[in-house]
Amino acid sequence: MAAGGNEAGMLVWLVMRLWGCIRDTFLPWRRTKAYQRSRVWSHMAWIGADSLPIISVISACVGIILALQSATQLEKVGALSYVANLVGFSIVTELGPLLVCLILAGRAGAAFTAEIATMRISEEIDALEVMGIDPIRFMVWPKFAAMCVMAPLLALWGDAVGITAGGVFSTLALGLSGKAYFLQTAHFLTMRDLLSGLVKSAGFGITITIVSCWQGLLAREGAADVGRRTTRAVVQSIFLMILLDLFFTALNYIFR
């Protein structure tokens, strides 16, 4: 019970510290230090640009799979033209944000946990405090800010790639008009659908960062604990993302 209480207390403390960083960002008299800006840009490049290849491949495959599965069922009722509706709506509101952030949980989240856990065990975090550097602002805040920006942008990129791949496949394999496909997608999707997916991805990105950094800060028992904490961070992030997805989807359905 004591360990569980300490873990919950660490989570609350981390969230409060991050809230303080967010608040200070918008205060005109609190200037962001140059090394913090540099670390944010570095994390944005690593999370965003370096993730594009795998996200592009997976999003394209998902778009083609959705087009093929939709065509299999819609062809039976003579409604093959509605493939564009199903592919576009499914990717933008659901699969795009979820799959992109699942990749980020395994790629970026695991790296966040391993980095912070290693620094905790090797007492580098204590050294930062001795030098007068706030560990949360130095380690966690750049990761948090970069993830908040890049998760929605990567989800948007994944949406575009998935819809395009589905359209190309529908044109080449299903005999649909490419122009009609994209016009129908643009007509069917609304700004609310797009914003719904972007809000989901931002929420997923925040969840990944907080859980990953929280687990990293809890590391105590040597190198073996780094692996355990990294595994817990990925599993917990995925579990919480599914719960958040359920919550956002239900909320969108109720107020639609």
Side-chain angles (χ1 to χ4, degrees):
M1 292 297 292
N6 291 337
E7 291 188 2
M10 176 69 78
L11 178 60
V12 173
W13 175 81
L14 177 61
V15 171
M16 294 302 295
R17 292 298 305 276
L18 283 174
W19 173 249
C21 292
I22 295 172
R23 182 188 57 202
D24 292 344
T25 301
F26 297 98
L27 297 178
W29 59 86
R30 291 297 298 268
R31 294 185 178 180
T32 304
K33 296 181 179 180
Y35 74 85
Q36 290 179 333
R37 292 195 297 269
S38 175
R39 286 179 62 81
V40 171
W41 283 109
S42 175
H43 279 87
M44 288 176 64
W46 180 74
I47 293 171
D50 292 355
S51 299
L52 284 177
I54 186 172
I55 286 176
S56 299
V57 172
I58 291 179
S59 297
C61 291
V62 169
I64 294 172
I65 290 169
L66 282 175
L68 188 58
Q69 293 284 15
S70 302
T72 303
Q73 300 301 319
L74 292 174
E75 197 172 21
K76 298 177 181 178
V77 294
L80 198 59
S81 60
Y82 286 96
V83 168
N85 300 38
L86 290 175
V87 172
F89 185 78
S90 299
I91 289 180
V92 168
T93 62
E94 184 64 35
L95 291 177
L98 186 59
L99 288 175
V100 165
C101 290
L102 285 174
I103 295 170
L104 292 181
R107 185 177 182 275
F112 292 168
T113 304
E115 176 188 345
I116 295 176
T118 303
M119 293 180 70
R120 167 66 77 182
I121 292 170
S122 61
E123 299 183 351
E124 293 181 47
I125 295 179
D126 297 332
L128 290 174
E129 293 176 343
V130 170
M131 291 187 294
I133 299 176
D134 185 352
I136 300 303
R137 290 184 181 276
F138 183 80
M139 299 186 307
V140 180
W141 172 244
K143 296 174 174 58
F144 182 85
M147 187 68 84
C148 287
V149 174
M150 296 312 302
L153 292 180
L154 288 173
L156 197 61
W157 172 260
D159 294 343
V161 172
I163 292 173
T164 301
V168 171
F169 176 80
S170 299
T171 302
L172 298 178
L174 304 179
L176 298 178
S177 168
K179 181 179 179 180
Y181 176 94
F182 289 106
L183 286 177
Q184 187 165 344
T185 301
H187 178 74
F188 180 74
L189 292 177
T190 64
M191 184 58 67
R192 178 171 181 169
D193 297 329
L194 181 61
L195 291 177
S196 173
L198 295 180
V199 169
K200 279 185 182 182
S201 59
F204 296 159
I206 291 171
T207 301
I208 292 169
T209 308
I210 291 177
V211 171
S212 300
C213 295
W214 170 52
Q215 286 295 331
L217 291 170
L218 290 173
R220 291 290 187 279
E221 302 173 3
D225 204 28
V226 176
R228 287 195 294 267
R229 293 295 174 183
T230 302
T231 301
R232 289 182 186 179
V234 174
V235 173
Q236 290 176 359
S237 297
I238 294 174
F239 176 73
L240 291 175
M241 280 194 294
I242 298 298
L243 290 183
L244 275 177
D245 191 23
L246 174 61
F247 172 76
F248 284 134
T249 303
L251 204 63
N252 189 48
Y253 176 79
I254 292 172
F255 293 101
R256 193 170 183 83

